Amino acid sequence: MKRRALALLFAGLLGAGAAHAAQADHVRANHAWIRLLPGALPASGYVELANDGDQPARLTGAASTDYASTMLHRSAMHDGMSEMAMADHLDIPAHGRAALAPGGYHLMLERAARTLKPGDTVPVTLRFADGSTLAVGFQVRPANAD
Amino acid sequence: MKLPRLAPFALLLAAALLLAGCQRDTAVPWQLTSIRGHMPDLSFRLVDDSGKTVTAADYRGKVLLLYFGYTHCPDVCPLTLAHLHAVLQKLGKPADDVRILFVSVDPARDTPAVLHDYVRAFDPRAVGLTGSPRDIEALVKRYRASFTREPAKGDSGYEVSHSSAIYVFDRAGHARLLATPPDSQAQIGHDLGLLIAQKDAP
Ligand SMILES: [Cu+2]
């Protein structure tokens, strides 16, 4: 999995000299944070993404060495019911923005590999549709962070 | 969404009572949705996060915020509880008369111990409640809320969807207000402040 991602990243770098750079090259990440929940409960990750490229970028997934499982999820409301489901991707329009934010898209982080506490930084690799990746440090915040 | 169907009726009622020279609180300009007289008084028999069997009577005298959720919900439930924590912080000392009742709709995983750590991570005034599936369902039905459980693709085993509303009860256990996600912290804080000030609930 990881090897494949690296191979794709390498391919992406090779292609960078061509017409378009890789999607990840144009995406900037801001305010990346994790809402930490007690015990072994899953946590959620949030980040603001800005794409300064001429082409849309598509976030397709993420991985972290600090969590055994990292999935792109989306919370939604239907008829007064709140529900959460896996999401395929999140598009960031050319010269536009998209956000993983509470109550919407988020990273679902399960089975932490180490004991985390507020103030820690969790390394997360965001993966884009063309295989390119972006390394982002997510700041760990307490459960009741607003 | 923000001003559901009940609102015009509530306003009419308020106007009628005002005309009658009545000083009752129906004339209060609530910012949330008034559900007074539309939902039954609080009643339940559940287990709190210390493992003790509790009923609604144990919380008489407190203004209550009732919310259905589950601890394996890392996004919306924490968002709601973090908002309520912020609201209570802003209210200051009077908020000591408030309890957040977080009722699990996932009793298989939400033991009192798990619930205890979860709710305390948000606010010392939050209480986790669990119980038998039957007792939980009775409370859910009582407030016309609902929840479903479906197998998940990920590690979590299954996913739960649940009503997102917050039910507000006065000190006497009467259902008074309904807050839904579009309602802001300021709106919830405004109405909670008024409700806390009503020391002798009618
Ligand atoms: Cu999720």
Side-chain angles (χ1 to χ4, degrees), chain A residues 35 37-38 41-44 46 69 71 73 75 77 80-84 86 102-104 106 108 110-111 143-146, chain B residues 70-72 74-76 78-79 82-83 85-86 117-118 121-122 146-147 153-156 159 161-164 181 185:
Chain A
R35 186 192 295 284
L37 294 174
L41 294 173
S44 52
Y46 306 109
S69 165
M71 285 179 295
H73 267 210
S75 299
M77 288 269 304
M81 297 281 285
S82 160
E83 45 191 54
M84 186 174 78
M86 300 241 283
H106 57 274
M108 174 101 159
E110 291 182 84
R111 286 181 286 130
N144 60 9
D146 195 17
Chain B
Y70 64 111
T71 67
H72 281 69
D75 184 44
V76 170
L79 174 64
H83 274 177
H85 168 70
D117 290 348
Y118 186 81
F122 293 95
S146 63
F147 66 97
K153 286 180 210 150
D155 296 326
S156 0
E159 273 160 14
S161 68
H162 55 101
S163 300
S164 50
Q185 289 183 19

Side-chain angles (χ1 to χ4, degrees), chain B residues 34-160:
Chain B
S34 172
I35 53 169
R36 184 174 198 170
H38 295 272
M39 291 273 185
D41 291 353
L42 190 60
S43 172
F44 61 79
R45 185 181 185 82
L46 294 168
V47 177
D48 76 5
D49 59 66
S50 71
K52 204 176 76 190
T53 298
V54 289
T55 67
D58 292 310
Y59 301 96
R60 287 285 139 77
K62 301 288 181 200
V63 171
L64 301 173
L65 300 166
L66 175 72
Y67 180 67
F68 298 101
Y70 64 111
T71 67
H72 281 69
C73 165
D75 184 44
V76 170
C77 302
L79 174 64
T80 303
L81 291 172
H83 274 177
L84 293 181
H85 168 70
V87 167
L88 296 188
Q89 288 301 100
K90 259 175 222 132
L91 283 171
K93 185 87 181 129
D96 289 350
D97 285 353
V98 178
R99 291 293 176 275
I100 300 166
L101 301 184
F102 180 83
V103 179
S104 172
V105 293
D106 185 13
R109 289 187 294 192
D110 290 344
T111 61
V114 169
L115 269 173
H116 182 83
D117 290 348
Y118 186 81
V119 297
R120 286 307 147 106
F122 293 95
D123 195 283
R125 291 151 294 201
V127 179
L129 296 175
T130 184
S132 71
R134 215 177 121 200
D135 288 343
I136 290 169
E137 217 167 300
L139 184 58
V140 166
K141 284 223 175 88
R142 188 171 178 86
Y143 295 102
R144 295 172 222 160
S146 63
F147 66 97
T148 61
R149 202 170 295 158
E150 340 179 322
K153 286 180 210 150
D155 296 326
S156 0
Y158 49 91
E159 273 160 14
V160 183

